[in-house]
Amino acid sequence: MSRIDAKFAELKAAGKKAFVAYVMAGDPDFDTSLEVVRGMPAAGVDIIELGLPFTDPMADGETIQLAGQRALKAGMTLKRTLKLAREFRKDDDTTPIVLMGYYNPIHNHGVPQFLIDAKEAGIDGLIVVDLPPEEDEELCIPAQAAGLNFIRLATPTTDDKRLPKVLQNTSGFVYYVSITGITGAAAAEAGDVAPEVARIKAQTDLPVIVGFGIRTPETSRAIASVADGAVVGSAIVSKLAAGDNPTKVLEFVKGLADGAHSA
């Protein structure tokens, strides 16, 4: 059982929904980023999504793009991202970490070596947004064999014909993108999300977590109430972009986590 599976089993036993938080590794610098990540479990974060900086993040809006640029400017790389995870693991061996990003840095690192290094660093799952199911032999299947969950995105445009393909080799959880478009583009609406979550859950036993467009504790609660949990990224990253210190950022995160946990 992976840390992700164990976390969902724990939450289910407690009758709680999951709160997942995203930050870009190395934004605005390595030490600040590590401090925020280290503080997340105490702020109520159940699963940490660690963004892998990349020069051409096609699925992301301006907030995440700029975070990636800040991280790259501060010298962040795939190796340093894994180092950040290793530093976190010195004090926390239970909170799941999902590495989220694009395939190019992984390909450049070399898939076999990346999987060894990611596992050694304490990474539990991968979300690679530009690798469709047709490319599963490239990374998804090797990752599963290495003991890493491969988490797939489903979107409002993933119809009933496409959905089984998307779910085929997915593990850990399904990440449902609540809006059509890039990160940070619009607000999520629970009324729109609920039937889509039900449609996905009719075809899988995996938890369905909803992200994109969640910026307030109220929305976090509303979305978590119709799914297995909520993901917040851009709203947290915005706080770092505004210059908020880790304490302020984590106070904001705690409000979002409390929202999801009260669903």
Side-chain angles (χ1 to χ4, degrees), residues 8 18-22 45-49 173 175 209 229-233 236:
F8 279 113
F19 180 69
V20 183
Y22 170 98
V45 175
D46 297 302
I47 298 172
I48 296 166
E49 275 184 18
F173 61 91
Y175 186 137
I209 307 299
V231 188
V232 179
I236 297 168

Side-chain angles (χ1 to χ4, degrees), residues 137-223:
E137 297 288 344
E138 193 79 24
L139 179 62
C140 172
I141 291 170
Q144 308 261 36
L148 293 168
N149 290 128
F150 200 89
I151 296 145
R152 194 84 68 187
L153 302 179
T155 74
T157 59
T158 308
D159 61 22
D160 289 337
K161 185 179 179 182
R162 179 67 174 169
L163 186 58
K165 187 76 174 173
V166 168
L167 297 173
Q168 186 175 312
N169 291 314
T170 300
S171 64
F173 61 91
V174 179
Y175 186 137
Y176 178 69
V177 176
S178 67
I179 57 171
T180 303
I182 54 176
T183 56
E189 296 288 344
D192 297 332
V193 167
E196 291 298 303
V197 170
R199 184 169 68 90
I200 296 166
K201 289 180 80 67
Q203 295 201 37
T204 182
D205 293 331
L206 290 170
V208 180
I209 307 299
V210 177
F212 285 49
I214 302 171
R215 298 189 185 91
T216 66
E218 293 74 24
T219 310
S220 182
R221 182 182 189 281
I223 293 298

Side-chain angles (χ1 to χ4, degrees), residues 13-33:
K16 286 173 71 176
K17 301 300 180 75
F19 180 69
V20 183
Y22 170 98
V23 284
M24 179 67 71
D27 174 36
D29 56 66
F30 185 95
D31 291 340
T32 304
S33 180

Side-chain angles (χ1 to χ4, degrees), residues 31-221:
D31 291 340
T32 304
S33 180
L34 178 57
E35 188 176 346
V36 171
V37 172
R38 277 181 168 156
M40 281 186 162
V45 175
D46 297 302
I47 298 172
I48 296 166
E49 275 184 18
L50 198 56
L52 177 59
F54 181 50
T55 52
D56 189 23
M58 301 167 295
D60 293 303
E62 185 179 22
T63 301
I64 304 293
Q65 286 188 23
L66 291 174
Q69 288 176 20
R70 289 192 297 271
L72 291 168
K73 190 175 180 181
M76 210 60 183
T77 60
L78 172 55
K79 286 182 179 178
R80 295 200 78 209
T81 299
L82 296 179
K83 180 184 176 184
L84 192 150
R86 281 196 302 273
E87 290 296 320
F88 173 83
R89 282 282 173 242
K90 289 179 180 178
D91 304 311
D92 187 316
D93 195 43
T94 56
T95 304
I97 300 177
V98 174
L99 194 64
M100 183 172 187
Y102 297 82
Y103 183 49
N104 187 274
I106 296 170
H107 177 73
N108 286 345
H109 193 85
V111 168
Q113 190 61 50
F114 166 74
L115 294 174
I116 292 167
D117 293 346
K119 191 73 178 168
E120 183 268 333
I123 301 296
D124 302 292
L126 304 173
I127 300 174
V128 184
V129 298
D130 55 346
L131 273 186
E134 288 74 16
E135 306 289 337
D136 275 358
E137 297 288 344
E138 193 79 24
L139 179 62
C140 172
I141 291 170
Q144 308 261 36
L148 293 168
N149 290 128
F150 200 89
I151 296 145
R152 194 84 68 187
L153 302 179
T155 74
T157 59
T158 308
D159 61 22
D160 289 337
K161 185 179 179 182
R162 179 67 174 169
L163 186 58
K165 187 76 174 173
V166 168
L167 297 173
Q168 186 175 312
N169 291 314
T170 300
S171 64
F173 61 91
V174 179
Y175 186 137
Y176 178 69
V177 176
S178 67
I179 57 171
T180 303
I182 54 176
T183 56
E189 296 288 344
D192 297 332
V193 167
E196 291 298 303
V197 170
R199 184 169 68 90
I200 296 166
K201 289 180 80 67
Q203 295 201 37
T204 182
D205 293 331
L206 290 170
V208 180
I209 307 299
V210 177
F212 285 49
I214 302 171
R215 298 189 185 91
T216 66
E218 293 74 24
T219 310
S220 182
R221 182 182 189 281

Side-chain angles (χ1 to χ4, degrees), residues 230-254:
V231 188
V232 179
S234 293
I236 297 168
V237 172
S238 294
K239 297 294 182 184
L240 285 160
D244 284 8
N245 62 35
T247 301
K248 276 192 168 183
V249 173
L250 291 166
E251 284 173 1
F252 177 67
V253 169
K254 186 179 187 306

